[in-house]
Amino acid sequence: MHRFPVLALSVVTLLTTTAIASADPPDPLAEFHAQPVKWAPCSGKLAELECTTLVAPLDYAKPGGDRINLTVSRRKAAAADRRRGVLFTNPGGPGGSGLGLPLFLMKSELAQVYDLIGIDPRGVGGSTALNCRSAPAIAAPESRPADGEFGKWAAEAREAEEACQTSGGGIRQFISTANTARDMDVVRAVLGEAKINYLGYSYGTYLGAVYGTMFPGRLDRSVLDSAVHPEWIWHEQFRQQAIAYRQDVEAWAAWVGERAEKFGLGKSRDEVLAEVEKVAVKLRATPVGEYDQSSFDGAVGVGARYRPLWSDLASIVTKLRSGEQPANAEGAKAGQVLTRTGLQELRSGVFDTVTCESDWPTDLHVYYEDMRMFRERYPYGFGIVRAAPMTCTFRAFTPPEAPVKLAREGYPIGVVVQSEGDTQTQYAGGPAMARRLGHNLITVTDEGKHGLYNGGNKCVDDKVNRYLVDGALPGSSSECAGDPRPDVPKDGQGGSALTLSPEGIQAYLDGRGFSARP
């Protein structure tokens, strides 16, 4: 008599359990996705944009725990009737502020059809900032330090890591590319968009690839401009920068060698490089004021990278080689403009945390061997800095997760743009990223610029606009020509060298587009 009620109870229990199991679990991020947005004019130079501040989990594994602020900017599509959604942007770094990027793109064709979205990534600027204390300088910034100086470079990197860890509070281990991608998806949901479109420069290419890997159903069209190499995260990426500088210098030297009558620096690449080395040795022994060998090495790297400055760089070398003080001073003045640019490109923002998300060698002898080789082979553009120990060598925290393995499964074919002479993201990164994701590649030939779109290259702009605005992909592998080399004829074709102008050098550097942004 009592068995049937027991059996019935068992059936009800089974059905109830099955119903619960089949229901979707509650979204742990629902509260963040549903938060209200209050737009207001941004402050200062960004007053033409709207800004808002959202909240996101510090640790996505514990969304009910601590929270961070995310500051977001917006420029609404100028042609509302043509609007096709939002375009998220990132300027790279890692650690670059993204709030101003919609302003940089405001006159582009993209601004007509997209709401342009800029974000200060976690750890940066108006978002919850990772503020690392500065460590005192221990090593002099030399391009060719003696072996006895290597230990000072290591000590300075160790001090910087300890200072950042001490002042990083509880947030440092959560400043990562994967978490920044998760933040992007929170912003997407808050804006009520089913999908985003994306334009990322430099490190932003890696961030975009990570977002697409993690949230493939939420990414539509994407452009990765000046791509990080997917196999070089992160130690090898920086080593390769020095190699790219050397390749640019060799290309410049070959060009100068074909114009020996104009510059008098030799008739071949190797002869020109030998003259460069003579000037470097001279400046090590006898600087021109504060312009020394390290300043010169930095200038040679930057001048060779930018093709329109090739004649200027040759004139700088010629004047510094001269035994006349006025010529030396003129060469040093022009060279210093290039040197400053090289120094500005070395570090930024939360660089010393995001780049530690992958493991670096911890054996100092590995770095010291590289430094010896780079000192001799890759001194230009401060190449040895790329081989030296960095904060990540002494990483004081354990990343909570491994770097994301990039793949494209479930979102459309995108576009990668890469210049052949880029020293910050070497050219090989573009084909490698395109191959990894199955994207189409635009190669900008004979060009050293970093960040091509909206930087004055009409061919690049037209191809990217056609894709992002109209959805038409460029060829699987296509080319655009870079900025032209100086109009200095080869020997036997007449003509003469151009007049050296420090003001002209600065004007070119200021007009580089993305790379010249403040």
Side-chain angles (χ1 to χ4, degrees), residues 31-39 51-57 60 67-73 88 117-120 126-128 183-192:
E31 178 185 1
F32 298 98
H33 292 170
Q35 62 187 293
V37 185
K38 296 181 180 179
W39 294 103
C51 281
T52 189
T53 298
L54 307 176
V55 294
Y60 279 87
R67 301 179 174 194
I68 60 169
N69 290 324
L70 295 175
T71 300
V72 182
S73 65
F88 278 39
I117 306 298
I119 304 173
D120 268 358
S127 297
T128 298
D183 292 341
M184 288 170 54
D185 203 58
V186 167
V187 176
R188 174 204 60 79
V190 171
L191 296 181

Side-chain angles (χ1 to χ4, degrees), residues 22-157:
S22 64
D24 292 332
D27 181 0
L29 299 179
E31 178 185 1
F32 298 98
H33 292 170
Q35 62 187 293
V37 185
K38 296 181 180 179
W39 294 103
C42 301
S43 60
K45 296 180 179 180
L46 303 182
E48 294 181 74
L49 307 177
E50 298 176 287
C51 281
T52 189
T53 298
L54 307 176
V55 294
L58 172 64
D59 179 3
Y60 279 87
K62 300 177 181 178
D66 295 314
R67 301 179 174 194
I68 60 169
N69 290 324
L70 295 175
T71 300
V72 182
S73 65
R74 179 179 71 174
R75 174 75 177 187
K76 297 183 74 172
D81 58 326
R82 296 174 56 203
R83 183 184 182 275
R84 72 166 316 273
V86 293
L87 181 77
F88 278 39
T89 60
N90 182 274
S97 170
L99 291 187
L101 210 46
L103 197 61
F104 171 70
L105 297 169
M106 198 167 67
K107 294 182 179 180
S108 73
E109 192 172 333
L110 305 182
Q112 296 297 308
V113 299
Y114 287 107
D115 289 357
L116 303 175
I117 306 298
I119 304 173
D120 268 358
R122 58 171 54 207
V124 177
S127 297
T128 298
L130 173 63
N131 296 315
C132 289
R133 290 187 308 158
S134 298
I138 299 174
E142 292 185 66
S143 59
R144 311 187 194 201
D147 285 17
E149 295 293 307
F150 292 176
K152 295 180 181 179
W153 288 57
E156 185 169 312

